[in-house]
Amino acid sequence: MRKASLSLKLRFVPGQYAVARLAADSTIPDWASGPGFHAIVRADDELTIVCSADVVPDEVEAEREWACLRTVGPFAFQAAGVVLTLIAPLSSNGIGVFVVCTFDGEHLLIKEGDRRKAVELLVANGHQFVT
């Protein structure tokens, strides 16, 4: 396996996450706030909320049981290939990824059941995990 040209530091964000879909005209619900990692994206046809799985009501359409990896910087805001170097070894080995980028870093959500395999693949590609 060829190592990535970028070697990044990663860490797991504590908890288990969900990716919820609400109607485009929905207001942002109260359960979508609080401590920890949250991402809220409104598009023309939906409102997507990424947050701790334990706060998403059962009746809300959501994909659950996601683990969250985060890059540990700093690195240049305009650095090319950061997301690609992370998702390429995962995608090419059948691991689906949901990516949320923030100003300071990338968050990769992978299914909890793929955690061990994802770590092995990312380490084999030159990335390292820190606590």
Side-chain angles (χ1 to χ4, degrees), residues 38-113:
H38 292 76
I40 300 171
V41 179
R42 186 178 302 278
D44 290 343
D45 58 348
E46 68 179 298
L47 174 66
T48 297
I49 299 173
V50 179
C51 63
S52 178
D54 61 358
V55 301
V56 180
D58 291 338
E59 66 273 10
V60 172
E61 180 182 0
E63 289 286 328
R64 292 170 167 80
E65 298 182 10
W66 292 90
C68 182
L69 296 166
R70 184 186 189 338
T71 56
V72 178
F75 44 87
F77 184 81
Q78 70 279 5
V82 173
V83 173
L84 180 62
T85 194
L86 296 169
I87 65 171
L90 301 177
S91 295
S92 64
N93 284 280
I95 296 178
V97 179
F98 187 92
V99 180
V100 177
C101 296
T102 63
F103 192 91
D104 288 332
E106 288 66 40
H107 294 75
L108 278 72
L109 283 88
I110 56 171
K111 291 302 275 187
E112 193 65 54

Side-chain angles (χ1 to χ4, degrees), residues 6 12 17 19 24-25 27 31-32 83 90 93 112 116 120 123:
L6 292 174
F12 278 99
Y17 293 84
V19 180
D25 61 350
T27 58
W31 52 261
V83 173
L90 301 177
N93 284 280
E112 193 65 54
R116 184 183 57 78
E120 291 172 2
V123 169

